[in-house]
Amino acid sequence: LLRSRSMVPSTSRSLHARSSTSIRRAGFRTFIRRHSRSVHAQCLFKAFSNPSDSSNDDGEGDDKYSGPKATLDATTTWVMRTKMKDDESANTTRVVFDCDEGYEPPQGVVRTVDDGTELGRWLLCEDPDAKSENPLDGGGLWIFGLFDEPLYPFLVFTYVDDAGVELRAKVPHGRGKRRGTVLDGGFLTRKVTANVNADQFGMSRVDVVVRREGVGEVHLKPVDRY
């Protein structure tokens, strides 16, 4: 005889519910692992496994940190250290990341602390250089509400150096429960352009960006941990 749902003992239904929940969780983990090439999926899997397991080069884990939380706003001063490939010396300056309220993804202006000069605009984002045939890349895998805040893996900003060259800084971005915002060592790149025909008759030409060339490295740390 077929037994209706109402005839199944409550204990059995409870075990079935717990089993289904375990299967769904296992399925979510499997889904993330199978799509590990996706930038979205990598960040989701890292956060799902251990959201506070962010690391930087200061040698101090999040669980042992007891100082103030770092933030991307005017309350936290960061030390920005840049070093170009063709220069043995490094430049160091103190900056703040002013945040524009009400924007998603988070973004704003990078300013120097000493004189308030606006260096450029910053943005939290996915890897701007990622190229993949995976349909999940750039496909909006983020499920708002799954985490308190979307876990954007990079902070990117552009500025003009002393030689007048526009540089882009791309810095890995993470979050720790105790340390707050974690910015690791990143890279500086510049545009490489080519002059091509702007029309089929060759009457006008235009410069287009064909690639980005690495020219140096950048490191960012809160001033109290520098």
Side-chain angles (χ1 to χ4, degrees):
L1 293 176
L2 296 176
R3 304 179 66 182
S4 66
R5 179 180 177 85
S6 60
M7 296 176 63
V8 179
S10 59
T11 302
S12 299
R13 290 201 300 271
S14 177
L15 290 174
H16 175 73
R18 287 198 294 268
S19 176
S20 299
T21 301
S22 299
I23 291 173
R24 287 196 297 270
R25 289 176 178 172
F28 179 77
R29 292 176 183 269
T30 302
F31 171 81
I32 296 301
R33 288 193 179 100
R34 286 180 179 177
H35 296 85
S36 59
R37 292 183 180 180
S38 165
V39 174
H40 294 120
Q42 290 173 5
C43 296
L44 278 175
F45 180 67
K46 181 178 180 181
F48 188 78
S49 300
N50 188 356
S52 65
D53 188 20
S54 299
S55 61
N56 61 8
D57 56 3
D58 61 9
E60 185 176 40
D62 188 74
D63 292 340
K64 298 180 180 179
Y65 181 72
S66 59
K69 272 190 176 183
T71 57
L72 292 175
D73 56 32
T75 62
T76 299
T77 298
W78 297 79
V79 176
M80 183 174 77
R81 182 177 180 272
T82 59
K83 184 178 183 303
M84 309 304 288
K85 286 184 176 180
D86 56 355
D87 191 352
E88 294 183 358
S89 61
N91 293 323
T92 302
T93 185
R94 295 184 301 163
V95 300
V96 294
F97 293 92
D98 289 339
C99 185
D100 295 340
E101 297 296 332
Y103 285 87
E104 187 62 41
Q107 56 192 278
V109 175
V110 186
R111 298 182 187 276
T112 61
V113 173
D114 295 336
D115 56 11
T117 301
E118 182 178 320
L119 294 180
R121 291 195 60 82
W122 63 271
L123 174 73
L124 292 184
C125 61
E126 301 155 22
D127 189 349
D129 301 318
K131 295 180 180 180
S132 173
E133 297 179 357
N134 192 321
L136 289 175
D137 284 336
L141 182 61
W142 296 121
I143 304 173
F144 291 93
L146 181 60
F147 301 107
D148 292 337
E149 299 178 56
L151 302 176
Y152 298 103
F154 289 96
L155 180 144
V156 175
F157 65 93
T158 58
Y159 70 99
V160 178
D161 67 3
D162 295 337
V165 179
E166 183 182 87
L167 302 177
R168 186 188 72 183
K170 185 177 75 172
V171 183
H173 164 260
R175 213 177 281 122
K177 288 183 178 180
R178 294 177 181 270
R179 290 180 294 173
T181 299
V182 179
L183 300 177
D184 211 332
F187 299 96
L188 297 173
T189 59
R190 69 175 182 89
K191 298 176 182 177
V192 178
T193 61
N195 190 259
V196 299
N197 290 331
D199 57 74
Q200 59 181 341
F201 304 107
M203 297 181 64
S204 59
R205 300 181 67 83
V206 64
D207 290 333
V208 297
V209 179
V210 294
R211 62 186 176 88
R212 298 199 70 92
E213 178 183 55
V215 295
E217 58 187 39
V218 56
H219 296 270
L220 284 158
K221 278 189 177 182
V223 67
D224 61 288
R225 295 176 229 168
Y226 184 73

